[in-house]
Amino acid sequence: LKPVLLKSSGQGAFGSCLVAVQTMATRAAPSKLSAMPFLTDKNNPIGYIVQGAYEFGKDSQRLVQRCTKPDAKEFKKIAVACAVGFAIMGFIGYTVKLVFIPINNIIVGGS
């Protein structure tokens, strides 16, 4: 299987990476640890850990090679989305604080 990257402007900054990850997850990395067969046997606990780490390393290497930097338009879109998210969360926090200060004063200062 060869990974097919879908590159379009509407995909977002990490769209090409996600397609690469989905394709990589479907295939197993070939083992080069044939010197000690228990390291390549996934039924053996040590082999399970070694093979998992090896496959993770290979998949991570492929992912980093396939990912691309976002262009200026994608970067601006991500930055605006983050700024809007921060503003909304700040407004919610301010509103909650504004509402609960008088309530707390009534409860605590009522004696």
Side-chain angles (χ1 to χ4, degrees), residues 3-7 11 14-25 63 66:
V4 178
L5 297 177
L6 304 173
K7 188 81 169 140
Q11 199 171 32
F14 302 106
S16 59
C17 296
L18 293 176
V19 173
V21 168
Q22 290 169 352
T23 306
M24 284 184 280
L63 176 68
R66 297 240 183 244

Side-chain angles (χ1 to χ4, degrees), residues 10-94:
Q11 199 171 32
F14 302 106
S16 59
C17 296
L18 293 176
V19 173
V21 168
Q22 290 169 352
T23 306
M24 284 184 280
T26 59
R27 73 180 121 129
S31 176
K32 294 180 183 177
L33 301 171
S34 59
M36 294 180 266
F38 70 93
L39 292 177
T40 59
D41 184 18
K42 279 204 161 192
N43 294 327
N44 187 341
I46 295 173
Y48 183 80
I49 292 172
V50 170
Q51 285 298 307
Y54 179 77
E55 290 171 8
F56 176 77
K58 285 302 214 182
D59 288 344
S60 299
Q61 182 182 12
R62 281 191 213 107
L63 176 68
V64 169
Q65 288 173 349
R66 297 240 183 244
C67 288
T68 57
K69 246 171 90 171
D71 59 357
K73 184 179 177 182
E74 287 176 327
F75 181 77
K76 186 176 179 183
K77 191 183 291 185
I78 292 169
V80 167
C82 288
V84 168
F86 271 102
I88 290 171
M89 292 302 290
F91 180 74
I92 290 171
Y94 178 75

